[in-house]
Amino acid sequence: MNDLVPPKGTMSLDPDNLSAAAEAVEATRVAADVESANDAEATPEEPVINEQQAAMLMQTFAEEQNLLMGTLSGLLAALLGAGIWAAVTVTTEYQIGWMAVGIGFLVGFTMRYAGKGITPVFGTVSAVLSLVGCLVGNVVTYTWFIADMEGMTFMEVASQLNLAVVIGLLTSTFAVMDILFYGLAAYFGYKYAFRQVTQADIDRVMGKSF
């Protein structure tokens, strides 16, 4: 009778072999746990802000916004942009419509940093001021060219301007492309008028309030 010897290539049910196998499995499990722990430490989860904390953050940011400061600064930016637009147009004798977009950017960013606004009114005011900057830039440009053609000084022509004259001047020089440029100026003025809340802002408020 042949001895019951396990086929070649199979593992005998020897207690020593079972113990070694169990130790190998345990070592593999521990290594996986350590790797998971290291991954968790390398990329810690950011703290979750609950609804109450979010409401308090928004309240704090709302208290820090300043519509008056934002409006005054935005108006100055609009007038500055109008002056730059007029100067470039007079110098080149060519109206670059894309400068209207630049006025929108200038007014929007000025409103953002001076007003720190988070409510829609900041965007609306910024869009209106951007349009004002474009219109003033056009009026200043046309006033300069009229003065040059008539042999008058800029101030002599400007002193004769009134609302009816300005409306007539803008209407007579209006082009379809102006709709595009004015629209873009208002769009970017609105888009960039709002405060960008950073993680530093959140940490500052939470450290003070919670």
Side-chain angles (χ1 to χ4, degrees), residues 174-186:
F174 180 79
V176 177
M177 286 298 294
D178 290 340
I179 298 176
L180 171 63
F181 295 127
Y182 290 168
L184 289 173

Side-chain angles (χ1 to χ4, degrees), residues 45-159:
E45 294 184 0
E46 295 183 359
V48 178
I49 299 176
N50 58 39
E51 292 185 6
Q52 180 181 4
Q53 291 173 327
M56 294 185 68
L57 285 170
M58 294 303 294
Q59 180 181 353
T60 300
F61 294 141
E63 292 172 352
E64 293 179 350
Q65 63 185 0
N66 190 327
L67 182 59
L68 178 60
M69 182 62 68
T71 301
L72 293 177
S73 300
L75 178 60
L76 290 177
L79 295 178
L80 176 61
I84 295 174
W85 185 357
V88 171
T89 305
V90 169
T91 301
T92 62
E93 297 186 354
Y94 182 79
Q95 188 178 55
I96 304 173
W98 288 107
M99 292 196 67
V101 179
I103 292 178
F105 275 111
L106 181 61
V107 174
F109 277 108
T110 302
M111 285 283 294
R112 171 186 294 184
Y113 289 106
K116 297 182 178 180
I118 60 173
T119 53
V121 65
F122 284 82
T124 301
V125 171
S126 181
V128 172
L129 290 177
S130 298
L131 291 176
V132 169
C134 294
L135 295 176
V136 171
N138 272 333
V139 171
V140 171
T141 300
Y142 298 139
T143 301
W144 182 278
F145 284 130
I146 292 172
D148 184 60
M149 288 187 298
E150 298 296 330
M152 303 170 63
T153 65
F154 176 85
M155 293 306 301
E156 288 175 339
V157 177
S159 64

Side-chain angles (χ1 to χ4, degrees), residues 177-201:
M177 286 298 294
D178 290 340
I179 298 176
L180 171 63
F181 295 127
Y182 290 168
L184 289 173
Y187 169 77
F188 287 111
Y190 184 95
K191 179 179 180 180
Y192 291 102
F194 301 104
R195 175 178 185 170
Q196 298 297 297
V197 178
T198 64
Q199 187 62 45
D201 293 327

